[in-house]
Every structure is written in structure tokens, then in C-alpha cells.
Amino acid sequence: MPAWSSSWQLPDQIADVLPSEARHIEELRRLLLDTARSYGYELVMPPLMEHLESLLTGTGEALGLQTFKLVDQLSGRTLGLRADTTPQVARIDAHLLNRSGVARLCYCGPVLHTRADRPHATREPLQFGAEIYGHAGLEADLEAQMLALEGLRASGVTGLAVDMADVRIVNSLLAGATLDAAFLARIHAALAAKDASELDSLIAEPKSGISAAARAGLKALLQLYGDAGVLAEAEKVLPPLPGVREALQNLKWLASRTAAGGDVKVSFDLADLRGYAYYSGTRFAIYGQGAELARGGRYDEVGAVFGRNRPAAGFSLDLKELVSVLPPRPLKAAIRASWGEAEGLSAAIARLRASGETVACVLPGHEHEVNEFDCDRELAHVAGQWVVQPLKKAA
């Protein structure tokens, strides 16, 4: 390989998107945005980069490690390339819109990660998301789930399943304990990984201040995953703390409505606290086609750092990940026309394009090239008029 060819190589887990996949992504982007608009969501477009202190305010260490940093040549200040759009939308709701009632906002744009969040994933996801601000009731949590599910159904995803949890269960068990952020993160990681030995060693430390009842509850969480029976079991084995009981009742309410249509399987994993640090209540992950495709929940505290502590719920997904699990789209039907300056040809082509047709003009000498379109018709000059007729393809 010549030395100069290395300059063409892209960074690891960064890739070009070629025509067929790009068309599929763009079709899904439009479909998801239209679906969100049908629910009353308004499109916003936050910038790809911001001053670092604004971009990472209140998001926690995990998002900070995922964020690329660079120096602004104009101001000398440090900038960040966003790794998640939710905090930016919270800033828009808090400072730019400043509405007193409900605000429904959606977005779609690239984010960048210093490291991919799983093997073989891209470090440049195309993130679509929707957020609802200003309503503290479960109706907002349910709407976020319903919108995510409807968008995935419309995209062609089958075998939909929703897995739910609530961070308030763990927060209630740990209330009163003296834990710093790093130690708490280790507990969360042990719970998510179902690592009983690591969890035992952490919660047994006297300096943690975790009560005996709370330790028993945390250990019980490792087994509390599965179908609806999990909630009934949780009511038996977890301490009867107000926060725990409320969270279980909320999950029961959401699950009954999510599963009402009959095409969505609902499960629970009460130890799963994956996600950025700003989740404050129910959280959910949606699976389909054998992959996790969307993640969301309630994050009431996300706007507090911007001066407006508004209730908030929503979800996000990566369009590139979504396209990767769906069957490829068929080629788009098109009309083939010869290039030329014959009378009426340009006008005929213009009329067809204005009506929504794709018309590909064949340049001289390129009559047999294969491209992204399925030219199943041709524009032909018949009896003094330009007409569209079936294309006779070579055997």
C-alpha cells in the first residue's frame, strides 16, 4: 500500500455512509421527525459544540469522559463536541424558550464519543430524541415510551420489548448513607453487572453508613429481573420505604399501559441503572430485531443547573444503529431519460420532477451504468410527445 494512501484512512470506529445506507437513514430521520411532530413536538437544532463548562454542567463524569475537547482559536476557551444532546435541549428549554407550561421538543443530529459505548459501534452516532418538559405526572413518562415505540414500529422494527427500572429504588435504599460520587458509581456498576461479590465488598464497608435493611435490599435487587412477577416479589423482599413503594407502583402503572396493545413484551431489571447520571425516576430501554435500540426515562434534575428545575422525560436513539438492524431498502424507482436538447424534453423532465418523480438523465456514453436507482420506466418521444413508458431491460 502506498504511503500516501494512509491519509485516506478514517479514525477507528468512524466511517463514511454510502448511498444506500445514507438514503435509508435519511428516510428514517424524516419518518421519526414526522412522527414526533404528529405528537406535537417542535424541532430544535442545538450546536455541535459549546463552551465545555456549559456543555457538561450537571451531566456527571461519565459524559465528560465521552466528550472531545478542543481550544477555541477566537476566545482561547475550551470547547466540547457534544456526546449527548439532552443537556443542550434542557438549556434551550430553560433559557431560550422559558415557557411556563409544557414544552415538547425533538432533535436529530450527530454526536461524537471519545470511545464507542459497545464493541463495533460507531463513535459518531446520529442521535434522534424527544423531550417533554413541564409535567411531573406519569403521563409524560408514558408519552415518551409511546412515541419511541411508534417511531420504531413505523421504521419496520419487529419483536419490540421494553425493559423498565426506577433509580429511586436504589436512591431510597441508600438514603442517609455517606457515599461520594465515585463510590456510588461503583455500587451502580456492581448492580448493573449483577456482580454479587463486588456489591458485598462495597456495601459491607463500615464507612459507607448503609443500614442492614438497605444492604439486604441491594442484594435482593440482583435477583429482581424478569416479567411482571418481579414487581410482586419486590414488594415482598424490599424494605417498605415510601420511595420504593411509589417507584414500584409507577412501574406497574406504566407496564400495564405499555403492554395494552399486545405487541410489546414488558420486563423489569430493578438493578439496572445504566445511562447518564441525570436520570431521576423511571428509566426504560427498548429492544427490537435482537438489539437495544432506544433508551429513555425521567430526568427531572437535568435543567436545575440552568436555573429551571423543570420536570422532564424523554428518550433517544441512534439512527445508524437502527439502520444496521433493519433489512436494506429496495432501490428507489426512477424514470430514465436521455440527455439532449430536443424540443420539449427539458419541460417534460421538469414536470415529472415537480410531481415527485425521480428522473435520471443518462449522459452520453454511460447508458449501461448501474446506480442507486431502479430505472423501471423511460421518457420516450412518441408521436410528437414525451411520454413515460415501461423500460425494456436487456435480458
Side-chain angles (χ1 to χ4, degrees):
M1 179 183 294
W4 44 261
S5 67
S6 63
S7 64
W8 299 350
Q9 295 179 355
L10 294 172
D12 290 343
Q13 294 175 288
I14 298 289
D16 293 308
V17 180
L18 300 182
S20 291
E21 185 180 2
R23 177 169 60 88
H24 197 172
I25 289 173
E26 176 60 15
E27 288 173 357
L28 291 182
R29 185 190 70 85
R30 295 181 185 183
L31 184 151
L32 291 172
L33 287 174
D34 287 345
T35 302
R37 183 173 58 186
S38 75
Y39 274 62
Y41 285 74
E42 301 171 277
L43 179 64
V44 293
M45 296 180 179
L48 181 60
M49 64 181 180
E50 290 192 38
H51 293 126
L52 189 64
E53 59 270 25
S54 170
L55 192 65
L56 296 183
T57 296
T59 59
E61 181 183 13
L63 197 57
L65 293 174
Q66 280 282 60
T67 301
F68 281 99
K69 287 95 174 174
L70 64 157
V71 175
D72 184 2
Q73 297 299 308
L74 295 180
S75 66
R77 296 174 64 181
T78 302
L79 304 177
L81 300 175
R82 66 175 178 225
D84 181 47
T85 313
T86 295
Q88 294 183 296
V89 179
R91 175 181 55 75
I92 289 173
D93 174 70
H95 282 301
L96 299 181
L97 294 179
N98 201 29
R99 296 172 180 171
S100 59
V102 168
R104 291 179 170 92
L105 304 176
C106 64
Y107 59 86
C108 188
V111 296
L112 290 167
H113 294 164
T114 55
R115 293 180 179 272
D117 58 6
R118 58 191 177 281
H120 311 299
T122 178
R123 291 196 292 160
E124 189 190 14
L126 182 60
Q127 189 181 53
F128 170 84
E131 327 283 349
I132 180 169
Y133 296 90
H135 185 69
L138 287 175
E139 296 86 356
D141 301 65
L142 181 62
E143 180 172 297
Q145 285 191 25
M146 293 297 100
L147 175 55
L149 286 166
E150 184 167 338
L152 291 172
R153 285 192 195 96
S155 301
V157 176
T158 58
L160 287 166
V162 179
D163 188 71
M164 300 186 197
D166 194 313
V167 301
R168 288 171 294 189
I169 295 175
V170 172
N171 290 349
S172 297
L173 293 174
L174 295 176
T178 55
L179 306 174
D180 60 35
F183 193 82
L184 183 60
R186 291 176 64 191
I187 291 177
H188 287 177
L191 286 168
K194 306 292 189 293
D195 190 336
S197 60
E198 171 70 2
L199 182 64
D200 281 341
S201 67
L202 291 171
I203 64 180
E205 292 192 20
K207 66 178 183 179
S208 70
I210 301 174
S211 69
R215 288 199 297 271
L218 290 169
K219 292 179 182 179
L221 287 179
L222 298 179
Q223 305 301 321
L224 292 175
Y225 60 90
D227 60 19
V230 166
L231 299 185
E233 180 65 19
E235 289 178 340
K236 297 176 183 177
V237 301
L238 294 180
L241 300 170
V244 172
R245 292 299 180 227
E246 181 184 2
L248 293 175
Q249 289 303 312
N250 288 349
L251 289 172
K252 188 179 296 184
W253 187 91
L254 285 169
S256 66
R257 285 149 181 82
T258 301
D263 66 332
V264 178
K265 179 181 178 182
V266 177
S267 61
F268 306 89
D269 186 347
L270 301 189
D272 187 358
L273 302 176
R274 290 176 302 156
Y276 298 124
Y278 43 72
Y279 282 121
S280 62
T282 58
R283 56 144 296 277
F284 63 87
I286 301 180
Y287 297 82
Q289 310 287 131
E292 181 181 325
L293 298 177
R295 186 182 297 178
R298 179 161 288 277
Y299 25 82
D300 288 342
E301 306 299 322
V302 72
V305 294
F306 301 112
R308 292 190 78 205
N309 193 6
R310 301 237 292 161
F315 73 93
S316 65
L317 57 84
D318 175 13
L319 277 169
K320 291 182 179 178
E321 174 70 14
L322 178 56
V323 164
S324 73
V325 302
L326 292 173
R329 284 280 204 269
L331 294 178
K332 182 176 175 61
I335 299 169
R336 173 174 148 174
S338 299
W339 188 91
E341 299 179 278
E343 182 179 355
L345 176 58
S346 295
I349 291 173
R351 284 194 300 271
L352 288 168
R353 288 173 176 166
S355 70
E357 294 282 5
T358 296
V359 181
C361 288
V362 179
L363 299 176
H366 298 270
E367 289 79 7
H368 303 293
E369 291 184 1
V370 176
N371 55 34
E372 172 65 9
F373 300 96
D374 176 21
C375 291
D376 58 350
R377 293 154 293 158
E378 64 178 344
L379 185 61
H381 196 244
V382 179
Q385 294 187 1
W386 292 101
V387 296
V388 176
Q389 60 186 23
L391 179 64
K392 296 179 181 178
K393 297 184 178 181

